[in-house]
Amino acid sequence: MTGMTTARTSLPEAARHLSLRERKKLKTRIAIRNATYELIEEQGYDATTVEQIADRAEVSPSTVFRYFPTKEDIVLTDEYDPLAEELLRARPEDESLLDSMRFIIRQSMSMAIADAPTFAEREMKLRLRLMTEIPAVRSRVMESMSVTSRLMCRAIAERTGRHENDLEVRVYTMGLMGALLEAAIYWTEHDYQGDLLDLLDRALATFKDLPKR
Amino acid sequence: MTGMTTARTSLPEAARHLSLRERKKLKTRIAIRNATYELIEEQGYDATTVEQIADRAEVSPSTVFRYFPTKEDIVLTDEYDPLAEELLRARPEDESLLDSMRFIIRQSMSMAIADAPTFAEREMKLRLRLMTEIPAVRSRVMESMSVTSRLMCRAIAERTGRHENDLEVRVYTMGLMGALLEAAIYWTEHDYQGDLLDLLDRALATFKDLPKR
DNA sequence: CATCTTTTGAGAGTTACTCTCATTTCATGG
DNA sequence: CCATGAAATGAGAGTAACTCTCAAAAGATG
């Protein structure tokens, strides 16, 4: 009972009230992800095998796959997606949709940074780099984009008084997601020059607001 | 020297003037694709292995991978993409971008149908179904969407007097592609009800034209 | 027909992922 | 604190998509 088990990772404050089991799960989850990031920075994505990841995270390969369905998911899954939906829903009714989007982007980015100051930025850049360089990762991102898009559909539907399965709503939302993604890629390809938030704003500006009803 | 070798496939007229080597390559390419479609319709996507595909196409598995980098690509690659770029470039300068898009969509769809009447529709529907049902295929589609998007960027840049790497151009183009894809998915999820072209039109209509300069 | 080049097949190897089952680890009520 | 049940883990075997290499076959060329 020395500090051995805590050596792996320290948990965020929010995890205090979870059961021992849940806390352990969170820990291995984080351990796997950290191990992955480390290895990728050392050797690159392709050279990093799941076995190596398991080794460094001190779990078995089986466990890695139990936590993450695919290798790409280890790098890509984040916890902020469902948050975005809530945030959007919390915005005032009369605010324009694009303004709301702008707001929640700033919001969620600053939350991520508050969670883990230096880490968040490095992680985001690595993710974006992998996204542009590794086809498997990129296509996985694209897919998750369409999932996120569906999530946002619900919130946007409420906003505009349309149905969430309305063709226009879905097209519009997908367009928004694509725009944001493209802006992020643009930023990455230009060596992270300038302010990402500005680029995202410009990306949003190419859209007109989706009319109500 | 009976008709044996031609039993595999018959080539389109356009292939008449190719060398024997090129004609053979085209044939195996088509043979592989047809075998794949057949097997998938019989057994489903996941149950169909590359080995089976190779068997039915009467080539070795190595050859399959020589022609198509991944299993998904067998289903997805089509030859109409670069065509779209040309078509767009051929449209009159003063036509609105969205109108041009509408035009070339109709154009390329009718070309595909003229190429292979009954086949084209079945193939398209199967592809769309796989796209919505099989994650690997969907994400591959998404990726190829961003490739197509880049192609269109060039044409759209010319049109609007912007640079092809302009952020707005890229965002806008990506949005267009996403919109079209989403409309196609929508059509598929609603059991191919109604006219796909109408849906695509509606999807395009959610965009405003990208202003010049 | 001989030679050179391209394409193919065969086979071995890697790795992401799946399934199963025995073992360990936590939760719970007495 | 312990007995019992539930959940998480590890070990191992299996599958299938790819990759690489090399020798044989087939088309191009003079």
Side-chain angles (χ1 to χ4, degrees):
Chain A
M1 270 294 186
T2 52
M4 281 308 296
T5 37
T6 22
R8 233 188 222 167
T9 44
S10 50
L11 291 179
E13 277 311 310
R16 267 319 86 163
H17 302 287
L18 296 174
S19 72
L20 175 53
R21 232 171 216 172
E22 293 303 313
R23 264 177 292 156
K24 260 201 159 177
K25 281 211 277 188
L26 240 180
K27 264 201 215 169
T28 50
R29 199 179 178 75
I30 296 175
I32 291 171
R33 198 156 32 204
N34 288 350
T36 308
Y37 280 125
E38 280 178 30
L39 285 165
I40 290 179
E41 290 197 324
E42 289 169 24
Q43 328 170 329
Y45 183 85
D46 289 323
T48 303
T49 75
V50 174
E51 214 184 320
Q52 292 172 338
I53 293 172
D55 274 0
R56 182 156 316 187
E58 297 181 78
V59 294
S60 75
S62 329
T63 300
V64 173
F65 286 115
R66 238 176 240 122
Y67 279 79
F68 300 94
T70 72
K71 187 177 154 190
E72 296 93 53
D73 278 287
I74 307 179
V75 187
L76 291 179
T77 42
D78 58 13
E79 296 75 18
Y80 301 99
D81 260 23
L83 204 79
E85 197 195 343
E86 274 184 53
L87 282 174
L88 179 54
R89 193 163 281 130
R91 293 267 80 199
E93 269 282 348
D94 57 331
E95 190 178 49
S96 98
L97 193 53
L98 290 176
D99 284 341
S100 298
M101 290 296 297
R102 262 186 276 276
F103 180 87
I104 68 176
I105 287 169
R106 288 181 190 275
Q107 186 82 350
S108 49
M109 275 183 73
S110 57
M111 284 176 83
I113 292 173
D115 258 18
T118 39
F119 202 59
E121 198 190 333
R122 250 183 78 174
E123 191 178 306
M124 183 169 68
K125 287 186 179 175
L126 176 58
R127 275 164 68 161
L128 286 172
R129 220 193 60 219
L130 293 176
M131 237 169 73
T132 58
E133 288 174 7
I134 315 291
V137 176
R138 180 175 39 237
S139 66
R140 188 66 189 68
V141 167
M142 294 270 169
E143 205 201 324
S144 82
M145 176 181 90
S146 76
V147 174
T148 310
S149 166
R150 287 297 176 88
L151 273 182
M152 297 302 277
C153 271
R154 284 215 297 271
I156 290 185
E158 281 180 19
R159 251 338 184 52
T160 54
R162 295 168 182 263
H163 188 64
E164 67 169 285
N165 252 319
D166 188 81
L167 175 67
E168 274 80 13
V169 169
R170 281 179 47 180
V171 166
Y172 186 80
T173 317
M174 185 66 149
L176 278 187
M177 297 298 121
L180 297 176
L181 185 61
E182 192 70 26
I185 291 174
Y186 185 91
W187 188 57
T188 308
E189 286 177 353
H190 290 72
D191 295 310
Y192 316 111
Q193 269 170 24
D195 189 10
L196 175 57
L197 283 174
D198 287 346
L199 290 183
L200 294 173
D201 275 1
R202 279 174 59 195
L204 289 180
T206 63
F207 284 81
K208 63 176 175 222
D209 256 298
L210 186 65
K212 299 210 172 196
R213 285 276 269 131
Chain B
M1 268 293 188
T2 52
M4 281 305 297
T5 37
T6 22
R8 230 189 225 170
T9 43
S10 50
L11 291 179
E13 276 310 310
R16 266 318 87 161
H17 302 288
L18 295 174
S19 71
L20 174 54
R21 238 175 210 169
E22 294 301 314
R23 264 177 292 155
K24 261 202 158 177
K25 280 211 277 187
L26 240 180
K27 264 201 213 169
T28 50
R29 197 178 180 76
I30 296 174
I32 291 171
R33 198 155 32 203
N34 287 349
T36 307
Y37 280 125
E38 279 178 31
L39 286 165
I40 289 178
E41 290 196 324
E42 289 169 24
Q43 326 170 330
Y45 182 85
D46 289 323
T48 302
T49 76
V50 173
E51 214 185 323
Q52 291 172 338
I53 293 172
D55 274 0
R56 182 155 317 185
E58 297 181 76
V59 294
S60 74
S62 329
T63 301
V64 174
F65 286 115
R66 237 176 241 123
Y67 279 79
F68 301 93
T70 71
K71 187 177 154 191
E72 296 93 53
D73 278 289
I74 308 179
V75 186
L76 290 179
T77 41
D78 57 13
E79 297 75 17
Y80 300 99
D81 259 25
L83 204 79
E85 196 195 342
E86 274 183 54
L87 282 174
L88 180 53
R89 193 162 280 132
R91 292 268 80 201
E93 269 282 348
D94 58 329
E95 191 178 50
S96 98
L97 192 54
L98 290 177
D99 284 341
S100 298
M101 289 297 297
R102 262 186 277 276
F103 180 87
I104 69 175
I105 287 168
R106 288 182 191 275
Q107 185 82 350
S108 49
M109 276 182 73
S110 57
M111 284 176 82
I113 292 172
D115 257 18
T118 40
F119 202 60
E121 199 191 332
R122 249 183 78 175
E123 191 177 305
M124 183 169 68
K125 286 186 179 176
L126 176 58
R127 275 164 67 161
L128 287 173
R129 221 192 61 220
L130 293 176
M131 235 169 74
T132 58
E133 288 173 7
I134 315 292
V137 177
R138 179 177 40 239
S139 64
R140 187 68 189 67
V141 166
M142 294 269 168
E143 204 200 325
S144 81
M145 176 182 92
S146 75
V147 174
T148 310
S149 166
R150 286 298 176 89
L151 273 183
M152 296 303 277
C153 272
R154 285 215 295 270
I156 290 185
E158 282 179 20
R159 250 341 183 50
T160 53
R162 296 168 183 261
H163 188 64
E164 68 170 287
N165 252 318
D166 189 81
L167 175 67
E168 274 80 13
V169 169
R170 282 180 47 180
V171 165
Y172 186 81
T173 316
M174 185 65 149
L176 278 186
M177 297 300 121
L180 297 175
L181 185 61
E182 191 69 26
I185 292 174
Y186 185 92
W187 188 58
T188 309
E189 285 177 353
H190 291 73
D191 295 310
Y192 317 109
Q193 268 172 26
D195 189 11
L196 175 58
L197 283 174
D198 287 346
L199 290 183
L200 293 173
D201 275 2
R202 278 175 59 197
L204 289 180
T206 62
F207 284 81
K208 62 175 176 227
D209 255 297
L210 185 65
K212 299 210 174 196
R213 282 284 264 132

